[in-house]
Amino acid sequence: MPYFKYNLQDNAERRTIMLNETIQKEFQRKEIKYLIEADTFEQLQKEFKDYLTPDRFTHSSITNIYFDNPDFQLIKDSINHRHASEKIRMRTYDPKPTQKSQAFLEIKKKEYQGEQEIGYKYRLTSTPLSLCNYVQQGIIDNNIKQDDRANHELAILRERYKKLVPKMFIHYERFSLRGIENPKLRVTFDRNVIYRHENVNLTSGFNGYPLLKNNQIVMEVKVKNGLPAWMEKIFHKHQLIPQSFSKYTTAYLKAYGLTPEDIREEPTSIA
Protein backbone atom coordinates (compact mmCIF):
# COMPACT_ATOMS: atom_id res chain seq x y z
CA MET A 1 0.00 0.00 0.00
CA PRO A 2 2.16 2.88 -1.22
CA TYR A 3 0.02 5.58 0.38
CA PHE A 4 1.05 4.31 3.80
CA LYS A 5 4.76 4.21 3.11
CA TYR A 6 6.14 5.85 6.24
CA ASN A 7 8.18 8.98 5.71
CA LEU A 8 10.48 10.17 8.53
CA GLN A 9 11.29 13.34 6.60
CA ASP A 10 7.60 14.26 6.51
CA ASN A 11 7.41 14.02 10.28
CA ALA A 12 10.68 15.94 10.73
CA GLU A 13 9.33 18.77 8.57
CA ARG A 14 6.12 18.74 10.56
CA ARG A 15 7.97 19.17 13.85
CA THR A 16 10.07 22.05 12.44
CA ILE A 17 7.06 23.89 11.04
CA MET A 18 4.90 23.41 14.13
CA LEU A 19 7.64 24.69 16.41
CA ASN A 20 7.78 27.92 14.43
CA GLU A 21 4.10 28.55 13.71
CA THR A 22 1.08 29.58 15.72
CA ILE A 23 -0.70 26.37 16.77
CA GLN A 24 -4.46 26.12 16.30
CA LYS A 25 -5.86 25.73 19.81
CA GLU A 26 -9.58 25.19 19.26
CA PHE A 27 -11.50 23.01 16.80
CA GLN A 28 -15.23 22.71 16.14
CA ARG A 29 -16.29 20.22 13.49
CA LYS A 30 -18.08 17.00 12.66
CA GLU A 31 -15.93 13.89 12.74
CA ILE A 32 -17.49 11.02 10.80
CA LYS A 33 -15.79 7.62 11.10
CA TYR A 34 -15.81 4.48 9.00
CA LEU A 35 -14.04 1.13 9.39
CA ILE A 36 -12.83 0.00 5.97
CA GLU A 37 -10.79 -2.85 4.53
CA ALA A 38 -7.48 -2.38 2.72
CA ASP A 39 -8.95 -3.10 -0.71
CA THR A 40 -11.68 -0.50 -0.16
CA PHE A 41 -8.99 2.00 0.79
CA GLU A 42 -7.20 1.37 -2.51
CA GLN A 43 -10.40 1.88 -4.48
CA LEU A 44 -11.27 5.07 -2.63
CA GLN A 45 -7.90 6.63 -3.48
CA LYS A 46 -8.68 6.34 -7.16
CA GLU A 47 -12.12 7.89 -6.76
CA PHE A 48 -10.91 10.68 -4.46
CA LYS A 49 -8.18 11.91 -6.80
CA ASP A 50 -10.36 14.55 -8.48
CA TYR A 51 -11.54 15.97 -5.17
CA LEU A 52 -8.79 15.43 -2.58
CA THR A 53 -5.06 16.05 -2.49
CA PRO A 54 -2.35 15.04 0.00
CA ASP A 55 -2.55 17.17 3.13
CA ARG A 56 0.29 19.42 4.24
CA PHE A 57 1.49 16.65 6.57
CA THR A 58 0.60 13.60 4.51
CA HIS A 59 2.22 10.92 6.67
CA SER A 60 2.24 10.95 10.46
CA SER A 61 3.35 8.69 13.27
CA ILE A 62 0.89 9.47 16.07
CA THR A 63 1.34 8.43 19.70
CA ASN A 64 -1.31 9.13 22.33
CA ILE A 65 -1.62 8.80 26.07
CA TYR A 66 -5.17 8.90 27.46
CA PHE A 67 -5.70 10.12 31.01
CA ASP A 68 -8.41 8.78 33.29
CA ASN A 69 -8.97 8.22 36.98
CA PRO A 70 -7.91 4.88 38.54
CA ASP A 71 -11.42 3.42 38.01
CA PHE A 72 -11.65 4.50 34.34
CA GLN A 73 -14.68 6.59 35.24
CA LEU A 74 -14.02 9.15 32.51
CA ILE A 75 -14.24 6.61 29.69
CA LYS A 76 -17.17 4.88 31.42
CA ASP A 77 -19.01 8.20 31.45
CA SER A 78 -18.20 8.65 27.76
CA ILE A 79 -19.58 5.19 26.93
CA ASN A 80 -22.75 6.06 28.84
CA HIS A 81 -23.01 9.51 27.18
CA ARG A 82 -22.76 11.28 30.52
CA HIS A 83 -21.65 14.91 30.61
CA ALA A 84 -20.11 15.74 27.19
CA SER A 85 -18.33 12.42 26.52
CA GLU A 86 -15.01 14.10 27.31
CA LYS A 87 -11.59 12.59 26.75
CA ILE A 88 -8.17 13.87 27.82
CA ARG A 89 -5.18 12.85 25.77
CA MET A 90 -1.57 13.80 25.22
CA ARG A 91 -0.37 13.46 21.64
CA THR A 92 2.95 13.69 19.85
CA TYR A 93 3.87 13.40 16.20
CA ASP A 94 7.50 12.63 16.99
CA PRO A 95 8.39 9.20 15.48
CA LYS A 96 10.79 8.62 18.40
CA PRO A 97 9.19 10.37 21.37
CA THR A 98 11.29 11.63 24.26
CA GLN A 99 10.51 13.75 27.30
CA LYS A 100 11.63 16.77 25.25
CA SER A 101 9.36 16.10 22.25
CA GLN A 102 6.72 18.61 21.30
CA ALA A 103 3.42 17.30 22.66
CA PHE A 104 -0.18 18.46 22.73
CA LEU A 105 -2.66 18.12 25.55
CA GLU A 106 -6.11 17.85 24.00
CA ILE A 107 -9.48 17.94 25.74
CA LYS A 108 -12.18 16.53 23.48
CA LYS A 109 -15.91 16.81 24.05
CA LYS A 110 -19.16 16.37 22.14
CA GLU A 111 -22.39 18.31 21.99
CA TYR A 112 -25.62 17.45 20.24
CA GLN A 113 -27.54 19.96 18.17
CA GLY A 114 -30.73 18.13 17.31
CA GLU A 115 -29.55 14.90 15.68
CA GLN A 116 -26.19 16.41 14.78
CA GLU A 117 -23.11 15.52 16.84
CA ILE A 118 -20.53 18.31 17.00
CA GLY A 119 -17.03 17.65 18.24
CA TYR A 120 -14.90 20.23 20.09
CA LYS A 121 -11.20 20.05 20.86
CA TYR A 122 -9.13 22.39 23.05
CA ARG A 123 -5.36 22.19 23.00
CA LEU A 124 -2.26 23.12 24.98
CA THR A 125 1.32 22.72 23.75
CA SER A 126 4.38 21.73 25.76
CA THR A 127 6.57 18.70 26.51
CA PRO A 128 5.32 15.32 27.80
CA LEU A 129 6.80 15.88 31.25
CA SER A 130 5.24 19.33 31.67
CA LEU A 131 1.83 18.18 30.43
CA CYS A 132 1.80 15.15 32.74
CA ASN A 133 2.68 17.37 35.69
CA TYR A 134 -0.16 19.73 34.74
CA VAL A 135 -2.82 17.03 34.35
CA GLN A 136 -1.82 14.97 37.38
CA GLN A 137 -0.72 17.63 39.83
CA GLY A 138 -1.99 20.95 38.48
CA ILE A 139 1.56 22.26 38.10
CA ILE A 140 1.93 24.83 35.31
CA ASP A 141 5.48 25.63 34.21
CA ASN A 142 6.89 28.02 31.64
CA ASN A 143 7.04 25.32 28.95
CA ILE A 144 3.25 25.24 28.62
CA LYS A 145 1.73 27.54 26.01
CA GLN A 146 -1.41 28.65 27.80
CA ASP A 147 -4.97 28.66 26.49
CA ASP A 148 -7.77 29.89 28.75
CA ARG A 149 -10.46 27.60 27.33
CA ALA A 150 -8.29 24.48 27.54
CA ASN A 151 -7.33 25.40 31.11
CA HIS A 152 -11.01 25.87 32.01
CA GLU A 153 -12.06 22.53 30.52
CA LEU A 154 -9.23 20.68 32.25
CA ALA A 155 -10.06 22.31 35.60
CA ILE A 156 -13.62 21.00 35.34
CA LEU A 157 -12.41 17.46 34.64
CA ARG A 158 -9.79 17.53 37.38
CA GLU A 159 -12.47 18.59 39.85
CA ARG A 160 -14.93 15.95 38.65
CA TYR A 161 -12.55 12.97 38.50
CA LYS A 162 -10.14 14.06 41.27
CA LYS A 163 -7.12 11.95 40.34
CA LEU A 164 -6.13 11.76 36.67
CA VAL A 165 -3.30 9.47 35.57
CA PRO A 166 -2.04 7.94 32.29
CA LYS A 167 -4.25 4.90 31.61
CA MET A 168 -3.96 3.94 27.92
CA PHE A 169 -1.27 4.09 25.21
CA ILE A 170 -2.42 4.14 21.57
CA HIS A 171 -0.17 4.46 18.51
CA TYR A 172 -0.87 4.37 14.77
CA GLU A 173 0.24 5.56 11.35
CA ARG A 174 -1.87 8.18 9.57
CA PHE A 175 -2.27 9.16 5.92
CA SER A 176 -4.06 12.50 5.41
CA LEU A 177 -5.88 14.15 2.52
CA ARG A 178 -7.59 17.52 2.21
CA GLY A 179 -10.17 18.96 -0.16
CA ILE A 180 -9.00 20.64 -3.36
CA GLU A 181 -11.89 23.14 -3.46
CA ASN A 182 -12.42 23.17 0.30
CA PRO A 183 -9.08 22.78 2.14
CA LYS A 184 -10.94 22.57 5.48
CA LEU A 185 -12.36 19.22 4.42
CA ARG A 186 -9.95 16.56 5.69
CA VAL A 187 -9.95 12.79 5.38
CA THR A 188 -7.57 10.69 7.45
CA PHE A 189 -6.74 6.99 7.34
CA ASP A 190 -5.28 5.31 10.44
CA ARG A 191 -3.75 1.85 10.33
CA ASN A 192 -1.45 -0.41 12.37
CA VAL A 193 -3.27 0.77 15.50
CA ILE A 194 -1.82 -0.72 18.68
CA TYR A 195 -2.67 -0.18 22.34
CA ARG A 196 -1.39 -1.12 25.78
CA HIS A 197 -2.72 -0.50 29.27
CA GLU A 198 0.52 -1.27 31.08
CA ASN A 199 3.71 0.79 30.99
CA VAL A 200 1.65 3.74 29.77
CA ASN A 201 4.09 6.43 28.65
CA LEU A 202 5.36 7.94 25.40
CA THR A 203 8.96 6.78 25.62
CA SER A 204 8.77 2.99 26.00
CA GLY A 205 8.45 2.04 22.34
CA PHE A 206 5.51 0.97 20.23
CA ASN A 207 4.91 -2.52 21.57
CA GLY A 208 1.31 -3.41 22.33
CA TYR A 209 -1.77 -5.24 21.10
CA PRO A 210 -3.53 -4.78 17.75
CA LEU A 211 -6.73 -2.79 18.11
CA LEU A 212 -8.30 -3.70 14.76
CA LYS A 213 -8.75 -6.81 12.67
CA ASN A 214 -6.06 -7.53 10.08
CA ASN A 215 -5.88 -4.86 7.37
CA GLN A 216 -8.71 -2.77 8.84
CA ILE A 217 -8.31 1.01 8.60
CA VAL A 218 -10.09 3.79 10.43
CA MET A 219 -11.21 6.42 7.93
CA GLU A 220 -12.38 9.72 9.39
CA VAL A 221 -13.95 12.65 7.59
CA LYS A 222 -13.49 15.98 9.37
CA VAL A 223 -15.88 18.57 8.04
CA LYS A 224 -17.61 21.75 9.22
CA ASN A 225 -21.03 20.81 7.88
CA GLY A 226 -22.29 17.72 6.04
CA LEU A 227 -20.52 15.49 3.53
CA PRO A 228 -20.20 16.95 0.03
CA ALA A 229 -22.49 15.36 -2.57
CA TRP A 230 -19.61 13.73 -4.48
CA MET A 231 -18.41 12.03 -1.31
CA GLU A 232 -21.87 10.78 -0.39
CA LYS A 233 -22.14 9.26 -3.87
CA ILE A 234 -18.80 7.45 -3.52
CA PHE A 235 -19.63 6.19 -0.03
CA HIS A 236 -23.05 4.97 -1.20
CA LYS A 237 -21.38 3.08 -4.05
CA HIS A 238 -19.11 1.25 -1.58
CA GLN A 239 -21.94 0.81 0.96
CA LEU A 240 -19.98 2.64 3.65
CA ILE A 241 -21.94 3.33 6.82
CA PRO A 242 -20.76 5.79 9.51
CA GLN A 243 -19.85 4.14 12.79
CA SER A 244 -19.59 5.37 16.34
CA PHE A 245 -15.99 4.35 16.95
CA SER A 246 -13.50 5.47 19.58
CA LYS A 247 -9.96 4.11 19.76
CA TYR A 248 -9.77 4.67 23.51
CA THR A 249 -13.18 3.08 24.15
CA THR A 250 -12.31 0.07 22.00
CA ALA A 251 -8.91 -0.32 23.65
CA TYR A 252 -10.42 -0.12 27.15
CA LEU A 253 -13.10 -2.71 26.36
CA LYS A 254 -10.60 -5.08 24.71
CA ALA A 255 -8.01 -4.69 27.47
CA TYR A 256 -10.49 -5.74 30.16
CA GLY A 257 -12.71 -8.12 28.17
CA LEU A 258 -15.79 -5.90 28.50
CA THR A 259 -18.73 -4.84 26.35
CA PRO A 260 -20.54 -1.49 26.37
CA GLU A 261 -23.47 -3.26 28.04
CA ASP A 262 -21.21 -4.24 30.94
CA ILE A 263 -20.38 -0.58 31.51
CA ARG A 264 -23.98 0.61 31.20
CA GLU A 265 -24.98 -1.79 33.95
CA GLU A 266 -22.43 -0.30 36.36
CA PRO A 267 -23.50 2.45 38.76
CA THR A 268 -21.42 5.60 38.45
CA SER A 269 -18.91 6.32 41.18
CA ILE A 270 -18.85 10.06 40.41
CA ALA A 271 -21.74 12.29 41.39
Side-chain angles (χ1 to χ4, degrees):
M1 298 177 66
Y3 291 97
F4 269 108
K5 184 177 180 181
Y6 186 62
N7 188 335
L8 279 174
Q9 182 65 27
D10 197 30
N11 254 38
E13 290 176 0
R14 180 185 196 126
R15 295 199 306 277
T16 301
I17 292 171
M18 295 181 84
L19 285 169
N20 291 283
E21 284 191 355
T22 300
I23 302 297
Q24 184 175 356
K25 295 179 179 179
E26 295 189 15
F27 300 79
Q28 176 185 343
R29 63 195 181 191
K30 295 179 182 178
E31 298 177 341
I32 309 167
K33 298 177 182 178
Y34 304 81
L35 290 178
I36 64 174
E37 304 297 329
D39 57 346
T40 303
F41 168 76
E42 296 288 0
Q43 295 173 44
L44 289 175
Q45 301 317 295
K46 298 174 184 177
E47 299 183 54
F48 283 165
K49 66 180 181 180
D50 292 333
Y51 308 99
L52 301 175
T53 190
D55 203 356
R56 185 179 186 184
F57 306 112
T58 310
H59 301 275
S60 300
S61 172
I62 300 179
T63 307
N64 302 286
I65 298 295
Y66 285 83
F67 293 88
D68 212 319
N69 75 354
D71 296 326
F72 286 99
Q73 194 59 51
L74 197 152
I75 193 60
K76 290 176 183 177
D77 284 349
S78 179
I79 292 170
N80 285 310
H81 304 293
R82 297 191 188 106
H83 308 295
S85 298
E86 296 99 339
K87 295 183 179 72
I88 308 170
R89 74 181 177 205
M90 178 170 60
R91 165 174 290 186
T92 183
Y93 297 92
D94 193 329
K96 296 180 179 179
T98 71
Q99 290 294 357
K100 295 182 179 180
S101 296
Q102 184 185 51
F104 301 92
L105 181 67
E106 299 178 338
I107 295 93
K108 299 188 69 177
K109 61 189 298 185
K110 296 177 183 177
E111 291 183 359
Y112 294 89
Q113 300 176 3
E115 296 183 356
Q116 297 294 322
E117 179 181 289
I118 307 297
Y120 297 85
K121 182 167 70 175
Y122 308 103
R123 174 187 273 181
L124 295 171
T125 311
S126 188
T127 63
L129 181 60
S130 291
L131 293 177
C132 283
N133 285 338
Y134 184 28
V135 175
Q136 295 178 249
Q137 303 176 49
I139 298 173
I140 302 178
D141 63 33
N142 293 330
N143 290 319
I144 296 177
K145 295 182 180 179
Q146 292 294 304
D147 177 74
D148 290 343
R149 184 59 188 267
N151 290 336
H152 174 71
E153 296 291 338
L154 181 60
I156 292 173
L157 297 174
R158 292 187 74 243
E159 174 63 25
R160 182 189 302 158
Y161 296 103
K162 307 305 180 186
K163 183 179 181 180
L164 293 170
V165 293
K167 295 296 286 184
M168 192 68 67
F169 170 98
I170 298 179
H171 172 80
Y172 45 90
E173 298 166 12
R174 171 169 288 181
F175 173 66
S176 302
L177 301 171
R178 62 173 174 81
I180 294 174
E181 292 186 0
N182 176 16
K184 293 186 178 180
L185 168 65
R186 296 186 63 238
V187 183
T188 60
F189 301 87
D190 298 339
R191 69 172 302 185
N192 297 331
V193 186
I194 62 101
Y195 73 95
R196 66 173 184 260
H197 57 293
E198 299 174 344
N199 198 19
V200 180
N201 62 73
L202 291 176
T203 60
S204 295
F206 300 145
N207 57 301
Y209 306 96
L211 189 70
L212 304 173
K213 297 177 182 178
N214 289 340
N215 295 323
Q216 268 195 321
I217 296 168
V218 181
M219 178 177 70
E220 184 170 353
V221 181
K222 308 168 196 291
V223 63
K224 183 71 173 178
N225 298 303
L227 298 181
W230 61 264
M231 184 174 281
E232 287 188 333
K233 183 177 180 180
I234 291 173
F235 287 0
H236 179 74
K237 174 183 175 181
H238 292 279
Q239 300 181 324
L240 299 181
I241 300 173
Q243 300 192 36
S244 178
F245 179 83
S246 159
K247 295 183 183 75
Y248 179 26
T249 298
T250 304
Y252 167 64
L253 295 176
K254 291 191 71 171
Y256 293 95
L258 299 170
T259 67
E261 288 69 30
D262 295 327
I263 305 306
R264 295 187 181 110
E265 292 172 359
E266 285 189 13
T268 179
S269 62
I270 301 291

